[in-house]
Amino acid sequence: MATSRAEKVTEFLTCVICQELYTDPCTLRCDHTFCRKCVTGYIQTRPDAVQSKTIPCLCCRQDTKVPHPSRPVAEWATQIKPSIIIQGLIDTQADVVKTGNGSASCCSVCEKLGETTPGASWCTECQVSLCKRCVKMHVANPASHDHEICDLSGEVKVKRRRKVMCREHKDEVIKLVCKDCHKAVCQTCCVVYHRKCESVVTIQSMLPNLKYHLRRHAKQLSKKIHRKETFVKKTDEKINGSEKNKIAVANHIKSAVERAIANIKQKGKQLMNEVKEITDKQTKELKADVKLEEIEMQMYKQHCEFIDQALVSECEMDLYDAYQTWESGAVELGDVRDTDTADTPRIDDIRFTSDTDNVQHILDDLQLGKFDVTYQDQGTCLPPRAPVLVDVIDGRMAGDEVEPYLRDITFLVVDGIQTVVVTDVYNKCVKSFYTRNNLTCHRKLPLDDSPWGVTQLKENQVMVAVPESSQIVTVEVTPDLVLLSTITTSKWYVSLAFLSPSSLAAGTWDSVDILDMAGHVLRSVTTHNNETLFPSPWYMCVNNKGNILVSDRGEQSVTCVTSEGDVVWRCAPTGDRTLIPCGISTTLRGDILVADKNKVIRLTETGDYVTDHQDIGFDPRGLYVDRHDTLYVCGEGQTHEVNFM
């Protein structure tokens, strides 16, 4: 079965053109994969493809457009995206070397000398088999003493390290990185194209730092995944709850409809009872009339018989009595009718006229009920990006005379090393914290007086305000700390923000000044509408539009001003949202984060309130957001690294 599976994998990794394992596989638009050299050879046999500037697929005939057809045809295949997955499978197939006592490979070193000594070990770094004698020399060699050696005495699986070859120089392995160009290169590329670059190092020298940061990022991603899984689970539960609620509401509506129908039926029943009552009354009256008429008919018949008898008898008295009875009116209806009911109105006819229009109007206006729907705040359809604590850095260092008071913070990446720089007011120094070779390191730069605000000047330089000395110092971060220069200013400046290579913003009591790099005041921003703008501009930063964001603790406000001094907007909430602002920074999307009492406030780029982040863990002072939206906060002798999920 294993052989069959291996054969299937090999078949999958075989190019249909050359019938060999893929060499530098590339995938066309139709997702069919071929060797890059095979694609080049196939194009040259298809003049129609050259004319149409496309690469036809040998399997399905679908065309793939060439990104840059003006280049030579021989280079068209190099423009097609490489198949990383296929190459990874090929490398995985080649990663395992099986050896046994009966089929041990020969020593690679001895083989070059013409000897056939059985290999006893395998060097994973050099990718060679070594006999027992050569292993000793290999370990004793300073260049290879730390290489990983695997024993081949039994059946083992040895993982081969994949070698990435240079695309331009096919026979050379990529082993170097040009930090100036941010590109991995081979030795020849380094000599030809990167001679003027200042920082070219080996990938091997970067591995410890790369692994540390990759593990760190993987840990952060794991936390994000866990949070997303929790959110998905809760959302699924909410969906299920919504479905159950829909059924309950539908039943409620159905009940309301049934009650309304029952009321309408009750109205109909009342009308039916009423028509029955009226009809019964009319029938009773008519029957009474019939009875009276029948009585009258009977009386008239009796009188007729009496008259007939009188006429037949020819008796004079009988004729006279009959005549007298008629004349007296004794046989008229009035003699027998009930005079009490004679004045009662009688029912003549019954009709029912339906009020269709009014009924329709009532039905249109009929409200069986109403829905009470609660909505989330605008922009919070998705869960707010809650802060998750990633790391805590203790601000204390050897030599500190008192507990540190970390006032401001910034973050740099120096030679691939992530470095946090803070100012310690109480111990009168600038401190840096970083990790090198999996070891946590820190450095301290003592100053004559207490440092306050800090801002990044260059990739590896920061400027620090030292107000009590009326100085601004420039410090190089290597990530060790080196004092480069000191400028003396005319005022005490407590906060700084880098504007351009020739200017910076500096906050002092009652104003924000625009300085040149020599510390001279170019202009001051002091008032707006004849009112003092900034009594205490203790923190500031620059947004992505080049405007200055000033966090003023005295005015309890955040103000956005241009470098010319024009006020763009001002945020000064009152009531429960009154600010006690400290550090301020912006995200890549333009959102503004402001340190407040025991929390961080998030504002939009126009100063509108978004939310409070309550889970910072302490009372924040300075803060800084890097390009990955990771928040670095200092305060209470600690620095917290917070990731917004």
Side-chain angles (χ1 to χ4, degrees), residues 165-431:
M165 311 304 291
C166 178
R167 284 193 180 183
E168 185 173 351
H169 309 99
K170 306 293 185 182
D171 297 332
E172 294 203 33
V173 179
I174 296 178
K175 292 184 176 181
L176 305 172
V177 171
C178 176
K179 290 190 174 182
D180 297 342
C181 303
H182 301 286
K183 188 176 181 180
V185 296
C186 69
Q187 183 70 40
T188 303
C189 285
C190 181
V191 174
V192 175
Y193 302 114
H194 301 272
R195 287 176 296 175
K196 296 182 180 180
C197 297
E198 296 181 357
S199 181
V200 178
V201 298
T202 63
I203 297 178
Q204 185 66 33
S205 65
M206 296 177 63
L207 285 182
N209 193 50
L210 290 176
K211 289 179 180 179
Y212 167 76
H213 288 296
L214 287 174
R215 291 190 184 101
R216 193 162 167 267
H217 294 328
K219 185 178 179 181
Q220 293 181 16
L221 289 175
S222 297
K223 291 183 177 180
K224 288 185 177 183
I225 291 170
H226 176 69
R227 178 172 175 79
K228 297 295 182 185
E229 287 175 345
T230 303
F231 169 70
V232 169
K233 182 179 179 181
K234 290 183 177 179
T235 305
D236 286 338
E237 292 175 354
K238 195 169 184 179
I239 291 172
N240 294 333
S242 178
E243 290 296 323
K244 293 179 181 178
N245 183 63
K246 181 182 73 173
I247 295 172
V249 171
N251 290 333
H252 195 184
I253 294 172
K254 186 177 178 181
S255 299
V257 171
E258 289 175 350
R259 285 195 299 271
I261 293 173
N263 289 333
I264 293 173
K265 287 183 176 181
Q266 182 64 29
K267 289 286 185 182
K269 188 175 180 180
Q270 291 176 0
L271 290 174
M272 296 297 291
N273 291 335
E274 187 176 349
V275 72
K276 181 178 182 298
E277 182 180 345
I278 297 172
T279 304
D280 290 346
K281 182 178 180 181
Q282 184 187 27
T283 302
K284 183 178 180 181
E285 290 176 349
L286 294 174
K287 286 182 177 181
D289 290 343
V290 170
K291 187 174 182 180
L292 287 174
E293 294 297 329
E294 289 176 346
I295 292 172
E296 286 184 358
M297 288 170 58
Q298 185 66 31
M299 290 176 63
Y300 291 154
K301 287 179 180 180
Q302 290 176 357
H303 192 65
C304 286
E305 291 177 358
F306 178 65
I307 292 172
D308 289 341
Q309 289 176 1
L311 290 173
V312 171
S313 68
E314 294 184 358
C315 178
E316 294 174 354
M317 283 304 297
D318 290 339
L319 291 172
Y320 179 77
D321 289 338
Y323 175 77
Q324 284 295 111
T325 302
W326 175 260
E327 287 295 327
S328 65
V331 297
E332 293 298 324
L333 182 63
D335 295 337
V336 297
R337 288 183 183 275
D338 187 359
T339 56
D340 294 336
T341 61
D343 296 331
T344 304
R346 297 170 58 82
I347 299 172
D348 181 55
D349 192 13
I350 303 173
R351 295 180 182 275
F352 176 75
T353 303
S354 61
D355 194 355
T356 306
D357 294 338
N358 190 34
V359 170
Q360 187 61 46
H361 179 71
I362 292 173
L363 288 175
D364 290 341
D365 294 339
L366 179 64
Q367 295 291 330
L368 295 175
K370 65 178 183 178
F371 293 104
D372 293 325
V373 182
T374 57
Y375 293 92
Q376 294 178 328
D377 293 336
Q378 186 177 4
T380 59
C381 294
L382 293 176
R385 292 161 60 85
V388 175
L389 184 63
V390 177
D391 194 13
V392 177
I393 302 174
D394 189 351
R396 292 174 295 184
M397 289 186 184
D400 285 352
E401 296 181 358
V402 294
E403 285 293 315
Y405 175 68
L406 307 183
R407 189 184 183 282
D408 204 1
I409 187 171
T410 190
F411 174 83
L412 304 87
V413 179
V414 182
D415 292 334
I417 300 175
Q418 297 180 345
T419 307
V420 175
V421 178
V422 296
T423 56
D424 187 344
V425 176
Y426 290 167
N427 290 293
K428 298 181 181 181
C429 64
V430 179
K431 296 176 177 179

Side-chain angles (χ1 to χ4, degrees), residues 531-581:
E531 293 183 0
T532 300
L533 266 179
F534 309 116
S536 306
W538 287 3
Y539 293 88
M540 64 175 62
C541 71
V542 177
N543 66 10
N544 50 18
K545 294 182 180 179
N547 296 327
I548 307 167
L549 301 175
V550 182
S551 173
D552 192 299
R553 199 173 181 89
E555 283 292 316
Q556 296 182 330
S557 66
V558 174
T559 306
C560 177
V561 297
T562 66
S563 58
E564 300 299 324
D566 298 324
V567 176
V568 180
W569 53 261
R570 193 170 202 185
C571 174
T574 58
D576 294 339
R577 291 182 179 173
T578 300
L579 291 175
I580 308 177

Side-chain angles (χ1 to χ4, degrees), residues 112-129:
K112 291 181 180 179
L113 300 175
E115 302 177 6
T116 55
T117 309
S121 302
W122 175 267
C123 177
T124 59
E125 184 70 26
C126 301
Q127 300 288 291
V128 294
S129 178

Side-chain angles (χ1 to χ4, degrees), residues 392-400 406 417-422 429-436 438-445 477-481 639:
V392 177
I393 302 174
D394 189 351
R396 292 174 295 184
M397 289 186 184
D400 285 352
L406 307 183
I417 300 175
Q418 297 180 345
T419 307
V420 175
V421 178
V422 296
C429 64
V430 179
K431 296 176 177 179
S432 66
F433 301 89
Y434 56 94
T435 300
R436 177 182 283 165
N438 293 334
L439 297 176
T440 301
C441 306
H442 50 76
R443 291 293 183 270
K444 179 194 297 187
L445 177 64
V477 183
T478 61
D480 296 341
L481 302 175
T639 294

